[in-house]
Every structure is written in C-alpha cells, then in structure tokens.
Amino acid sequence: LEGDPGGTGAANALAFRLYARVKKLDKGIEPGVYKLSPNMKMSAIISKLQVGQPDEIIVSVPDSLRVTQYADHATGLKNFNATNFLAIVKSGKWMDGTQVSATYWFVLPKAKNAAYALEGYLYPATYYFNASDDETAVIKRMLGTLGEQLCPGPNGNPQVPGEYYLDHTQCRAHAAS
C-alpha cells in the first residue's frame, strides 16, 4: 500500500491481516503477483490468493549458477518445459530450428567445443513472468535483459525495449561504458 497519501494503507493492511487470521483464512496463500481491484472485498482478495494461480510468477536466478540450473528456478510457470529449455540453451536454436544468434547479434553461434551455446548469455536476475510464459519467453526475456545491460541506450534510458540491443550499430553508439 505504498504511495497512500491519506495514510490509511497501513491501517487497511493491518485490518486485512487481522481479518484473515480471525477467519483462519491466512493459511494456504500462494506466493506470487496478483492483480487485485480496489473495489474487491477482503474475502474476495483472500479467496484469490488461496486459489494459488498468481497472475505473475517471480523467478529469481542467482549469480554464479550454470545455465543448466536455471530451469530449477522457473517452477510455477504453467507452460515452461525444462527439457525444451535445456535443448535451446544447449543448441543455441529455438525449437523451430532457427539460430538464437540470428535474432540477438551479441549471441555467438555455438562453438564446436561448447557444452551449452547460451552459457553466459542468460542474465541472472529476479524476473516477473506471466504465469503462462513458456521456455522461449523466459529465454528471450533473459537475453533481452543482457542486451539492455550491454546497450542501455542514450543516458541509460532506452525509449523502446530492444531498440538498441537488437541493432548492432545502435548498440555501438549507445553501449554501456
């Protein structure tokens, strides 16, 4: 309840927690990001939280992991297939056979002796994914985040996501220093 100018947010949050505890509804609430409406009643909010179907899933990939360990952190994504994820990161090819390097100029084609083509290209961070995202969406988002780190755009503030990292010339002109 951040940004509550009237200061009622803290009182409302406390009332919500007490209501849930008294009604014994504070158990079984699933973690995640839920879209709630200001006109929802407390019982409706609790019911939505207990269904366990968040609108967004938080996926945290810590630094220093191997790309083979990333899939373990994508639990909760309904359409995520760990086998397909590993096939893409190993081969450097999307499931339709297209080279990842054909879209992301900063991704080199798989070297002959490389075990995993995308090792070092998937940016470890905390992400909010749509619950329905699949392995392709996860990889594209992680590659895009690396691209934003490499080519943040003018003053580190690109106007359009991908505008600078998907274009080699634009990236060179607006690369990270």
Side-chain angles (χ1 to χ4, degrees), residues 83-152:
T83 303
N84 289 348
F85 177 86
L86 290 172
I88 295 167
V89 299
K90 184 172 185 166
S91 68
K93 295 179 182 177
W94 301 113
M95 295 308 292
D96 67 2
T98 306
Q99 291 282 343
V100 173
S101 60
T103 304
Y104 298 90
W105 67 268
F106 53 86
V107 175
L108 300 175
K110 183 179 180 186
K112 282 192 284 186
N113 59 350
Y116 291 88
L118 299 184
E119 186 78 65
Y121 291 108
L122 303 182
Y123 196 80
T126 298
Y127 296 92
Y128 293 86
F129 288 107
N130 290 324
S132 61
D133 281 349
D134 64 6
E135 60 282 350
T136 300
V138 170
I139 292 170
K140 286 180 177 181
R141 179 83 169 282
M142 296 179 96
L143 287 170
T145 302
L146 175 65
E148 290 169 358
Q149 298 298 312
L150 295 171
C151 310

Side-chain angles (χ1 to χ4, degrees), residues 7 9-10 34 37 41 45 65 67 70 76 81 86 109 115 120-121 141 144 148 160 165 168-171 177:
Y34 296 83
S37 168
K41 298 198 179 300
I45 293 171
L65 291 184
V67 74
Y70 284 23
N81 181 304
L86 290 172
Y121 291 108
R141 179 83 169 282
E148 290 169 358
V160 178
Y165 69 78
H168 183 262
T169 306
Q170 286 288 342
C171 181
S177 55

Side-chain angles (χ1 to χ4, degrees), residues 1 12 34-42 44-45:
L1 301 173
N12 289 341
Y34 296 83
K35 291 182 175 105
L36 305 173
S37 168
N39 62 352
M40 290 177 77
K41 298 198 179 300
M42 282 192 253
I45 293 171

